[in-house]
């Protein structure tokens, strides 16, 4: 698998892929028009997202502000696209500009027509978004992971390629060790990367969900979350009981239900008994946390 070319900027990536004959000298694909200066134009409705775009969420307010700027000044940097066939094109770099142009009501936008390998599509989209700080922490982590898998590059190589420290890449990849619901909270901005690192410092999904519940229920700052993590790590382990022939392992269905309750409620949950009867224990850690759980469990009435 090809390695990343180190020490090159985003512009150099485009140059590598454009050494072939100019698109102006070839027959233009359906949907592309060239003006007298050789600039290519296309309707934004013909553009499709880069299939390897690492970013999935776009700030609506920021898009609206960009749309206002585009109405006033036009698009100052052409969108880089690749022919997808049948009059459609993949956006390789510039999806945010394209969305804003559609909001602004533009019928045509300037484009650069290129052809890229799959790994280059991901590499360009990743670098463009990282350089503009447009990815949320989970999107960035997934982009690093995908790029490493596609190219065979090491963490060191990825770090140098995108202008980050190796520790930054390593810490980002660790976020993917979080349970899915906590990753979702990080993606949506309900918790910060600092909160996520505090949660990661705790071992085991159960204690991680306990800390997550405390953070969400108590609106803990990162420093408070780190202190709470320290308390959890200092918590003495439950004494081990002598093995007994009478102790049966937990029913797999009960264990699965416990896990689903923990994921839904964001706190420690213990089911005692069987599917036909028993007790359900739900932990809370503050009045705010209890209120949060109440709102999750009790149906809202008009």
């Amino acid at each position: 698998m090809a390695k990343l070319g180190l020490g090159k900027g985003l512009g150099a990536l485009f140059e590598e892929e454009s050494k072939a004959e100019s698109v102006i000298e070839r027959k233009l694909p359906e949907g592309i028009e060239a003006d007298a200066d050789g600039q290519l134009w296309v309707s934004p409705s013909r553009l499709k997202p880069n299939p390897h775009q690492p970013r999935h969420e776009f700030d609506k307010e920021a898009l609206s502000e960009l749309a206002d700027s585009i109405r006033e000044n036009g698009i100052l940097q052409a969108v880089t696209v690749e022919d997808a066939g049948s009059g459609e094109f993949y956006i390789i770099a510039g999806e945010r500009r394209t969305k804003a142009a559609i909001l602004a009501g533009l019928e045509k936008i300037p484009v650069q027509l290129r052809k890229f390998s799959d790994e280059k599509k991901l590499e360009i989209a990743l670098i463009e978004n990282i350089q503009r700080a447009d990815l949320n922490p989970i999107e960035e982590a997934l982009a690093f992971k995908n790029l490493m898998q596609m190219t065979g590059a090491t963490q060191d190589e990825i770090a140098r390629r995108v202008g980050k420290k190796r520790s930054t890449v390593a810490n980002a990849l660790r976020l993917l060790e979080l349970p899915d619901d906590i990753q979702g909270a990080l993606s949506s901005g309900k918790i910060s990367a600092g909160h996520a690192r505090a949660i990661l410092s705790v071992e085991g999904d159960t204690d991680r969900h306990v800390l997550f519940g405390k953070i969400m229920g108590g609106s803990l700052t990162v420093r408070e979350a780190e202190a709470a993590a320290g308390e959890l790590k200092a918590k003495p382990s439950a004494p081990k009981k002598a093995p007994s022939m009478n102790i049966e392992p937990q029913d797999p269905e009960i264990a699965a239900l416990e896990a689903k309750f923990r994921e839904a409620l964001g706190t420690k949950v213990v089911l005692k008994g069987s599917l036909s009867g028993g007790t359900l224990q739900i932990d809370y850690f503050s009045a705010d946390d209890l209120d949060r759980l109440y709102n999750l469990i009790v149906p809202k009435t008009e």
Side-chain angles (χ1 to χ4, degrees):
M1 192 71 74
K3 298 284 186 180
L4 295 174
L6 303 180
K8 299 172 185 174
L10 190 58
L13 292 176
F14 291 143
E15 290 175 10
E16 289 176 1
E17 299 294 331
S18 61
K19 288 180 180 177
E21 60 180 326
S22 166
V23 293
I24 302 301
E25 297 171 359
R26 305 196 305 264
K27 181 180 178 181
L28 292 176
E30 175 190 350
I32 292 278
E33 300 174 2
D35 63 20
D37 297 323
Q39 174 63 62
L40 302 183
W41 297 82
V42 69
S43 166
S45 63
R46 291 179 176 268
L47 303 187
K48 302 164 60 175
N50 178 352
H52 300 286
Q53 164 67 271
R55 182 176 57 171
H56 302 288
E57 308 217 3
F58 294 83
D59 184 277
K60 292 182 179 179
E61 184 176 346
L63 272 180
S64 179
E65 291 174 355
L66 181 57
D68 290 340
S69 174
I70 286 175
R71 286 190 194 97
E72 184 71 23
N73 305 300
I75 293 183
L76 303 181
Q77 181 181 356
V79 173
T80 303
V81 301
E82 179 184 51
D83 189 5
S86 303
E88 294 186 310
F89 305 86
Y90 286 124
I91 303 166
I92 305 304
E95 184 172 351
R96 182 168 170 268
R97 272 169 281 154
T98 302
K99 287 180 176 294
I102 292 172
L103 280 178
L106 269 61
E107 295 183 359
K108 300 280 185 180
I109 63 172
V111 295
Q112 299 180 68
L113 186 59
R114 299 284 188 266
K115 185 170 180 60
F116 301 92
S117 64
D118 283 348
E119 67 184 56
K120 194 66 70 175
K121 291 174 190 173
L122 175 59
E123 184 181 354
I124 290 171
L126 170 62
I127 293 173
E128 181 195 38
N129 281 292
I130 286 177
Q131 287 177 345
R132 292 174 179 163
D134 281 342
L135 299 181
N136 70 49
I138 294 300
E139 288 174 337
E140 183 179 65
L142 287 171
F144 287 145
K145 178 183 177 181
N146 291 338
L147 193 53
M148 290 175 66
Q149 290 176 339
M150 291 181 70
T151 65
T154 65
Q155 288 186 13
D156 281 328
E157 290 171 331
I158 293 290
R160 288 197 296 270
R161 192 68 191 85
V162 300
K164 301 278 187 179
K165 294 181 179 178
R166 182 190 176 281
S167 60
T168 300
V169 175
N171 287 335
L173 291 170
R174 280 203 69 212
L175 297 175
L176 301 179
E177 298 173 17
L178 290 168
D180 290 346
D181 56 326
I182 301 179
Q183 287 189 37
L186 179 56
S187 293
S188 62
K190 293 178 181 177
I191 63 173
S192 70
H195 288 119
R197 285 191 289 272
I199 294 171
L200 278 170
S201 71
V202 176
E203 294 294 330
D205 281 357
T206 297
D207 279 352
R208 285 175 176 175
H209 275 104
V210 168
L211 180 54
F212 177 57
K214 287 184 176 182
I215 291 169
M216 296 294 290
S219 299
L220 302 187
T221 66
V222 171
R223 188 175 294 276
E224 289 169 340
E226 290 170 346
E231 292 172 5
L232 277 172
K233 287 186 286 185
K235 180 181 66 176
S237 301
K240 293 184 178 179
K241 296 182 180 179
S244 170
M245 297 300 293
N246 298 323
I247 297 177
E248 296 183 1
Q250 187 180 31
D251 186 317
E253 290 186 88
I254 295 293
L257 280 173
E258 276 189 0
K260 289 181 178 179
F261 274 119
R262 285 198 302 269
E263 183 174 329
L265 299 177
T267 191
K268 184 177 180 180
V269 176
V270 177
L271 269 171
K272 296 179 181 178
S274 66
L275 293 176
S276 59
T279 60
L280 175 66
Q281 177 183 316
I282 302 172
D283 289 6
Y284 63 93
F285 305 95
S286 68
D288 287 339
D289 200 18
L290 180 60
D291 186 57
R292 177 184 69 85
L293 290 168
Y294 178 86
N295 289 328
L296 284 172
I297 296 171
V298 178
K300 294 181 179 179
T301 58
E302 294 297 334

